[in-house]
Amino acid sequence: MSSFSPRETDAINAVRRDVAKLHAELVKYNLVVWTGGNVSGRVPGMDLFVIKPSGVLYEDLTPENQILCDLDGNVMAGTPGSERSPSSDTAAHAYVYRNMPRVGGVVHTHSTYATAWAARGEAIPCVITAMADEFGGAIPVGPFAIIGDDSIGRGIVGTLTGHRSRAVLMQNHGPFTIGKDARDAVKAAVMLEDVARTIHISRQLGDPLPIEQRHIESLFDRYQNVYGQPSPARTGVPS
Ligand SMILES: O=C(CO)[C@@H](O)[C@@H](O)COP(=O)(O)O
């Protein structure tokens, strides 16, 4: 039986709420069919993460039936949801959290266009400014890996460590995305599918034109550091 302080319990429950709610975004943006995707979130300050239960329909997901795991992917006994099996990809998510300490969220989908690129084992070239903004360059391909052990996680970490992209196309399988938190990882999955579709269509019409690296650099820097509303970190003003 796991026991946590009130502060730890609050932190866990906040991630449970976020992760449960964020699965609806996968449906909203047509990134999944049936139960074919998953979201997880690291619990800040704890060696724990929350992930969806395997095979449960998105409309049935609640904060209480999310599953709390340690960074080895073991379910924390006696915690809400622990009576169910965690996502099939729990080992992959856990491997990412163990080996990429700045990652706070992981998402996996089989979104159509990104998965079509993954089936070809082809990186998505950075030929539109939206990709430069969000990913800072091409979307890389990770190795073919069978679900069930650390293989997929090793492929994600091996591909994305030191890479600006928050998305990787696991060959013959589909996209995995990472972020500073679960919401950021979901955003990466949404934006990935959008650029995968656009560039696929462009390729049907001809050869897309490359963007000079210096322009990719300036676009990425602007989007990551200027775009949107001033953040408290930049202004010190609480939101
Ligand atoms: O890709 C796969 C299986 O190959 C899984 O991620 C997908 O079916 C979702 O499984 P879970 O419901 O998260 O266990």
Side-chain angles (χ1 to χ4, degrees), residues 42 46-49 69-74 94-95 97-98:
R42 187 196 297 268
M46 301 177 75
D47 290 335
L48 298 170
F49 68 96
C69 298
D70 66 20
L71 297 193
D72 290 319
N74 302 308
Y95 191 94
Y97 289 126
R98 288 198 305 275

Side-chain angles (χ1 to χ4, degrees), residues 35-38 52-56 86-89 108 110 147 173 176:
T35 62
N38 39 70
K52 82 162 205 189
S54 181
V56 175
S87 167
S88 317
D89 293 298
H108 170 50
H110 300 151
I147 194 168
H173 185 174
F176 281 79

